Amino acid sequence: MTTLEILVTDTHEEASATLAGMLAEAARAGAQIALSGGSTPRPAYQLAAELEPDWSRATVWLVDERCVPPTDPASNELLLHQSLLDRLAHRPTFFPVPTHVGASGAADRYERLLRSTPPLELVALGIGPDGHTASLFPGSSALEETDRLVVATEAGLEPFVPRVTLTLPALAAAAHVVFLVTGAEKADAVRRAFGEPPAMATPASLARSANGLTTVVLDRAAACLHT
Ligand code: 6PG
């Protein structure tokens, strides 16, 4: 059975602290953790590194990645290094997406790796104003994937480069899926993702832990249209 909980905090800072606390606890417990890119979670990742500088028992995956070199500002690998990994006293095992082999080869390798390890325990997601999550964009054929855990997908947004993303089945298999969404420009996407029936037009409405918990952490601005 899937359980959805919505936590509304006053500010982006409080929302970030909520996710940071969950990440620090998961790191301490040596969990398998998958992290999204985007600008929203940066402060949460930084705070998580302060709260728990020893991530040596944990394993960190990327929820999605753009096929760019790891030094490119659009790289989620770079973002994770800057906001989390390079700030830790003891790093986790980290699996970047091997984008140098191209999107489809990288998806195949990441899939094999993911299947060879215990299931994901905590997955941190964001939402775009169009309702996308991970690199699962409205109307994308990647949303129809029922078997694979990782696929190559088309770019739905700038930069228009191929991407690699966890699929809905991969997200569904996770014990705990946590969305961090802040800001008024996301309010309508939040309403569609968590207040309306699931639809391909709003990929975040389809991303749920199937047998565990899905938590949505919002600030007041992002929650303002949610009933
Ligand atoms: C990414 C993502 C993506 C992101 C949303 C929200 O790497 O870009 O995984 O799904 O979470 O686009 O991004 P912002 O936090 O920048 O609004």
Side-chain angles (χ1 to χ4, degrees):
M1 205 192 71
T2 177
T3 306
L4 180 70
E5 68 171 358
I6 312 246
L7 307 177
V8 182
T9 64
D10 282 330
T11 61
H12 181 110
E13 289 69 30
E14 285 174 51
S16 298
T18 304
L19 176 61
M22 292 175 186
L23 292 173
E25 193 181 321
R28 255 173 241 130
Q32 299 273 334
I33 302 168
L35 299 176
S36 290
S39 56
T40 312
R42 268 183 191 268
Y45 297 164
Q46 291 173 5
L47 184 56
E50 283 171 32
L51 293 174
E52 180 51 74
D54 182 358
W55 283 50
S56 57
R57 297 182 57 228
T59 303
V60 171
W61 302 81
L62 289 175
V63 165
D64 63 335
E65 182 61 288
R66 300 166 183 86
C67 283
V68 293
T71 49
D72 189 295
S75 162
N76 282 345
E77 180 179 344
L78 178 67
L79 179 149
L80 269 204
H81 273 289
Q82 292 173 337
S83 59
L84 177 69
L85 302 173
D86 296 352
R87 296 166 180 260
L88 297 171
H90 301 283
R91 293 183 188 208
T93 301
F94 172 52
F95 292 117
V97 177
T99 52
H100 60 281
V101 298
S104 99
D108 288 348
R109 288 193 192 185
Y110 216 55
E111 162 110 18
R112 277 199 300 275
L113 211 50
L114 195 54
R115 284 196 187 274
S116 71
T117 57
L120 293 172
E121 284 154 300
L122 182 61
V123 178
L125 296 176
I127 297 187
D130 61 352
H132 82 262
T133 192
S135 282
L136 299 167
F137 292 95
S140 165
S141 58
L143 293 169
E144 291 166 43
E145 183 59 51
T146 56
D147 181 34
R148 288 186 59 120
L149 301 178
V150 187
V151 294
T153 188
E154 67 283 7
L157 281 181
E158 281 187 21
F160 293 104
V161 294
R163 293 181 178 221
V164 173
T165 185
L166 297 190
T167 60
L168 293 174
L171 303 178
H176 192 186
V177 169
V178 183
F179 287 90
L180 174 67
V181 196
T182 60
E185 69 283 5
K186 305 275 181 76
D188 191 57
V190 165
R191 180 187 62 75
R192 287 185 283 124
F194 306 110
E196 288 193 350
M200 295 267 282
T202 309
S205 69
L206 305 166
R208 301 285 186 270
S209 166
N211 298 306
L213 178 63
T214 303
T215 303
V216 187
V217 183
L218 305 171
D219 67 357
R220 292 245 168 254
C224 69
L225 299 178
H226 182 72
T227 46

